[in-house]
Amino acid sequence: MFSNIDINKMNRLMEENREAKQIISQLLENHHTSVSMIAHEIRNPLTLVSSSLQVIEAQHPEVKEFNNWEQMMEDVRFMCSLLNELSSFNKSSTLHHSVFSIERLLKNVAVSFAISLDADNSDVQFTSRIVPGMGDFTGDKIKLEEVLLNLLRNAREAVGENGRISLTAERRGDTIVIQCQDNGCGIPEELTATIFDPFVTYKENGTGLGLSSSKQTVEAHGGTIQVQCSPETGTVFTVTLPV
Ligand SMILES: Nc1ncnc2c1ncn2[C@@H]1O[C@H](COP(=O)(O)OP(=O)(O)OP(=O)(O)O)[C@@H](O)[C@H]1O
Ligand SMILES: [Mg+2]
């Protein structure tokens, strides 16, 4: 994928050469269209899976008693909404506001993440502390869930043996403060300034879009996202969201 240098080169080329600007803009537009089309194609069969699960649930209500059934249904609904979002990728900076319990959202994400670790027989230790009393929150539920999943996925990709990840959240005055902490490989100080830029990745198969889209979402909610890294605390991403 693109590195930070490539992006800078691309921007310079676009500034210097009108023809290059036209071609690059066209390529980016094609890229957006491809993403929308792929998302659309995946959404169709996923909608069928979702409908079948609903039929199973209606015909065999006892399935609800299975461990993780509710969570799985919630995750399928999330994937459908996510693909909906991606299929309108060109409008990805638009927020779709609703009023919801951010506490419930955080708890759901924590449970899904814990289940995914279990499913992989991972020995990563995951803890979460979601302090009750956060009240109603107005914002884009799907995009905020994506932010949390991006941070947790990065943490998971960063930790090795004896990995520890924690997700904490509480309300401080008129702000929700969410922290995702891990004891993984850490981030060299000189890189912390650029990891929020699009297409900056240090992973073989990374796209480098996780943190940049997370930053875009958080800032669109009037919030901030920051990273701190030290041998004592490990890597801590802090998201603040005004209520
Ligand atoms: N918890 C973390 N610990 C160590 N490094 C991290 C952590 N989170 C992010 N990074 C660094 O920041 C870079 C950018 O992260 P980002 O999520 O934007 O992209 P990515 O994870 O590389 O790819 P993608 O998320 O698109 O699959 C990563 O490649 C990694 O080097
Ligand atoms: Mg990532």
PDB file of all heavy atoms in Angstrom, residues 149-151 153-155 157 200-201 203 206-211, ligand 2:
ATOM      1  N   LEU A 149     -13.416  -0.884  17.265  1.00  0.00           N
ATOM      2  CA  LEU A 149     -12.892  -2.138  16.717  1.00  0.00           C
ATOM      3  C   LEU A 149     -11.516  -1.930  16.084  1.00  0.00           C
ATOM      4  O   LEU A 149     -10.646  -2.787  16.179  1.00  0.00           O
ATOM      5  CB  LEU A 149     -13.877  -2.733  15.698  1.00  0.00           C
ATOM      6  CG  LEU A 149     -15.177  -3.268  16.312  1.00  0.00           C
ATOM      7  CD1 LEU A 149     -16.149  -3.701  15.233  1.00  0.00           C
ATOM      8  CD2 LEU A 149     -14.900  -4.437  17.260  1.00  0.00           C
ATOM      9  N   ASN A 150     -11.322  -0.776  15.443  1.00  0.00           N
ATOM     10  CA  ASN A 150      -9.996  -0.483  14.862  1.00  0.00           C
ATOM     11  C   ASN A 150      -8.933  -0.453  15.946  1.00  0.00           C
ATOM     12  O   ASN A 150      -7.846  -1.009  15.772  1.00  0.00           O
ATOM     13  CB  ASN A 150     -10.002   0.894  14.180  1.00  0.00           C
ATOM     14  CG  ASN A 150     -10.554   0.835  12.773  1.00  0.00           C
ATOM     15  OD1 ASN A 150     -10.462  -0.197  12.119  1.00  0.00           O
ATOM     16  ND2 ASN A 150     -11.136   1.927  12.307  1.00  0.00           N
ATOM     17  N   LEU A 151      -9.254   0.217  17.069  1.00  0.00           N
ATOM     18  CA  LEU A 151      -8.263   0.331  18.147  1.00  0.00           C
ATOM     19  C   LEU A 151      -7.970  -1.038  18.757  1.00  0.00           C
ATOM     20  O   LEU A 151      -6.809  -1.395  19.003  1.00  0.00           O
ATOM     21  CB  LEU A 151      -8.759   1.296  19.232  1.00  0.00           C
ATOM     22  CG  LEU A 151      -8.927   2.751  18.791  1.00  0.00           C
ATOM     23  CD1 LEU A 151      -9.401   3.606  19.957  1.00  0.00           C
ATOM     24  CD2 LEU A 151      -7.622   3.319  18.238  1.00  0.00           C
ATOM     25  N   ARG A 153      -8.386  -3.960  17.322  1.00  0.00           N
ATOM     26  CA  ARG A 153      -7.691  -4.813  16.340  1.00  0.00           C
ATOM     27  C   ARG A 153      -6.204  -4.445  16.305  1.00  0.00           C
ATOM     28  O   ARG A 153      -5.335  -5.313  16.303  1.00  0.00           O
ATOM     29  CB  ARG A 153      -8.317  -4.656  14.956  1.00  0.00           C
ATOM     30  CG  ARG A 153      -7.904  -5.793  14.031  1.00  0.00           C
ATOM     31  CD  ARG A 153      -8.525  -5.734  12.656  1.00  0.00           C
ATOM     32  NE  ARG A 153      -9.923  -5.389  12.652  1.00  0.00           N
ATOM     33  CZ  ARG A 153     -10.428  -4.322  12.034  1.00  0.00           C
ATOM     34  NH1 ARG A 153      -9.649  -3.485  11.387  1.00  0.00           N
ATOM     35  NH2 ARG A 153     -11.723  -4.070  12.059  1.00  0.00           N
ATOM     36  N   ASN A 154      -5.914  -3.147  16.300  1.00  0.00           N
ATOM     37  CA  ASN A 154      -4.507  -2.722  16.315  1.00  0.00           C
ATOM     38  C   ASN A 154      -3.800  -3.253  17.556  1.00  0.00           C
ATOM     39  O   ASN A 154      -2.657  -3.716  17.472  1.00  0.00           O
ATOM     40  CB  ASN A 154      -4.405  -1.196  16.300  1.00  0.00           C
ATOM     41  CG  ASN A 154      -4.567  -0.621  14.910  1.00  0.00           C
ATOM     42  OD1 ASN A 154      -4.492  -1.343  13.922  1.00  0.00           O
ATOM     43  ND2 ASN A 154      -4.803   0.671  14.829  1.00  0.00           N
ATOM     44  N   ALA A 155      -4.489  -3.175  18.698  1.00  0.00           N
ATOM     45  CA  ALA A 155      -3.877  -3.642  19.947  1.00  0.00           C
ATOM     46  C   ALA A 155      -3.577  -5.136  19.829  1.00  0.00           C
ATOM     47  O   ALA A 155      -2.491  -5.606  20.181  1.00  0.00           O
ATOM     48  CB  ALA A 155      -4.822  -3.384  21.117  1.00  0.00           C
ATOM     49  N   GLU A 157      -3.079  -6.831  17.149  1.00  0.00           N
ATOM     50  CA  GLU A 157      -1.988  -7.072  16.203  1.00  0.00           C
ATOM     51  C   GLU A 157      -0.630  -6.679  16.797  1.00  0.00           C
ATOM     52  O   GLU A 157       0.406  -7.106  16.312  1.00  0.00           O
ATOM     53  CB  GLU A 157      -2.253  -6.302  14.896  1.00  0.00           C
ATOM     54  CG  GLU A 157      -3.361  -6.952  14.065  1.00  0.00           C
ATOM     55  CD  GLU A 157      -3.928  -6.060  12.963  1.00  0.00           C
ATOM     56  OE1 GLU A 157      -3.538  -4.885  12.836  1.00  0.00           O
ATOM     57  OE2 GLU A 157      -4.803  -6.559  12.228  1.00  0.00           O
ATOM     58  N   VAL A 200      -0.777   5.308   6.008  1.00  0.00           N
ATOM     59  CA  VAL A 200       0.479   5.072   6.735  1.00  0.00           C
ATOM     60  C   VAL A 200       0.346   3.748   7.479  1.00  0.00           C
ATOM     61  O   VAL A 200      -0.483   3.608   8.379  1.00  0.00           O
ATOM     62  CB  VAL A 200       0.789   6.206   7.738  1.00  0.00           C
ATOM     63  CG1 VAL A 200       2.000   5.847   8.596  1.00  0.00           C
ATOM     64  CG2 VAL A 200       1.061   7.496   6.975  1.00  0.00           C
ATOM     65  N   THR A 201       1.112   2.772   7.046  1.00  0.00           N
ATOM     66  CA  THR A 201       1.061   1.457   7.691  1.00  0.00           C
ATOM     67  C   THR A 201       2.463   0.889   7.807  1.00  0.00           C
ATOM     68  O   THR A 201       3.309   1.162   6.961  1.00  0.00           O
ATOM     69  CB  THR A 201       0.149   0.484   6.913  1.00  0.00           C
ATOM     70  OG1 THR A 201       0.134  -0.766   7.612  1.00  0.00           O
ATOM     71  CG2 THR A 201       0.593   0.252   5.483  1.00  0.00           C
ATOM     72  N   LYS A 203       2.552  -2.477   8.527  1.00  0.00           N
ATOM     73  CA  LYS A 203       2.199  -3.893   8.518  1.00  0.00           C
ATOM     74  C   LYS A 203       2.197  -4.391   7.083  1.00  0.00           C
ATOM     75  O   LYS A 203       1.791  -3.653   6.173  1.00  0.00           O
ATOM     76  CB  LYS A 203       0.797  -4.089   9.111  1.00  0.00           C
ATOM     77  CG  LYS A 203       0.735  -3.702  10.558  1.00  0.00           C
ATOM     78  CD  LYS A 203      -0.665  -3.756  11.105  1.00  0.00           C
ATOM     79  CE  LYS A 203      -0.703  -3.105  12.472  1.00  0.00           C
ATOM     80  NZ  LYS A 203      -2.056  -2.852  12.939  1.00  0.00           N
ATOM     81  N   GLY A 206      -1.360  -4.259   5.901  1.00  0.00           N
ATOM     82  CA  GLY A 206      -2.202  -3.163   6.394  1.00  0.00           C
ATOM     83  C   GLY A 206      -2.598  -2.228   5.265  1.00  0.00           C
ATOM     84  O   GLY A 206      -1.919  -2.144   4.243  1.00  0.00           O
ATOM     85  N   THR A 207      -3.725  -1.536   5.472  1.00  0.00           N
ATOM     86  CA  THR A 207      -4.099  -0.512   4.493  1.00  0.00           C
ATOM     87  C   THR A 207      -3.707   0.868   5.019  1.00  0.00           C
ATOM     88  O   THR A 207      -3.639   1.826   4.261  1.00  0.00           O
ATOM     89  CB  THR A 207      -5.626  -0.493   4.236  1.00  0.00           C
ATOM     90  OG1 THR A 207      -6.269  -0.092   5.437  1.00  0.00           O
ATOM     91  CG2 THR A 207      -6.145  -1.827   3.779  1.00  0.00           C
ATOM     92  N   GLY A 208      -3.502   0.950   6.327  1.00  0.00           N
ATOM     93  CA  GLY A 208      -3.165   2.254   6.912  1.00  0.00           C
ATOM     94  C   GLY A 208      -4.356   3.187   6.955  1.00  0.00           C
ATOM     95  O   GLY A 208      -4.205   4.403   7.044  1.00  0.00           O
ATOM     96  N   LEU A 209      -5.558   2.592   6.909  1.00  0.00           N
ATOM     97  CA  LEU A 209      -6.752   3.445   6.935  1.00  0.00           C
ATOM     98  C   LEU A 209      -7.456   3.433   8.287  1.00  0.00           C
ATOM     99  O   LEU A 209      -8.300   4.285   8.559  1.00  0.00           O
ATOM    100  CB  LEU A 209      -7.735   3.001   5.834  1.00  0.00           C
ATOM    101  CG  LEU A 209      -7.329   3.419   4.430  1.00  0.00           C
ATOM    102  CD1 LEU A 209      -8.245   2.795   3.387  1.00  0.00           C
ATOM    103  CD2 LEU A 209      -7.342   4.933   4.289  1.00  0.00           C
ATOM    104  N   GLY A 210      -7.098   2.443   9.141  1.00  0.00           N
ATOM    105  CA  GLY A 210      -7.815   2.292  10.419  1.00  0.00           C
ATOM    106  C   GLY A 210      -7.784   3.551  11.269  1.00  0.00           C
ATOM    107  O   GLY A 210      -8.831   4.089  11.650  1.00  0.00           O
ATOM    108  N   LEU A 211      -6.591   4.046  11.546  1.00  0.00           N
ATOM    109  CA  LEU A 211      -6.486   5.205  12.446  1.00  0.00           C
ATOM    110  C   LEU A 211      -6.932   6.494  11.765  1.00  0.00           C
ATOM    111  O   LEU A 211      -7.506   7.365  12.409  1.00  0.00           O
ATOM    112  CB  LEU A 211      -5.051   5.359  12.955  1.00  0.00           C
ATOM    113  CG  LEU A 211      -4.603   4.336  13.999  1.00  0.00           C
ATOM    114  CD1 LEU A 211      -3.150   4.581  14.394  1.00  0.00           C
ATOM    115  CD2 LEU A 211      -5.490   4.387  15.236  1.00  0.00           C
TER     116      LEU A 211
HETATM  117 MG    MG B   2      -5.288  -0.976  11.953  1.00  0.00          MG
END
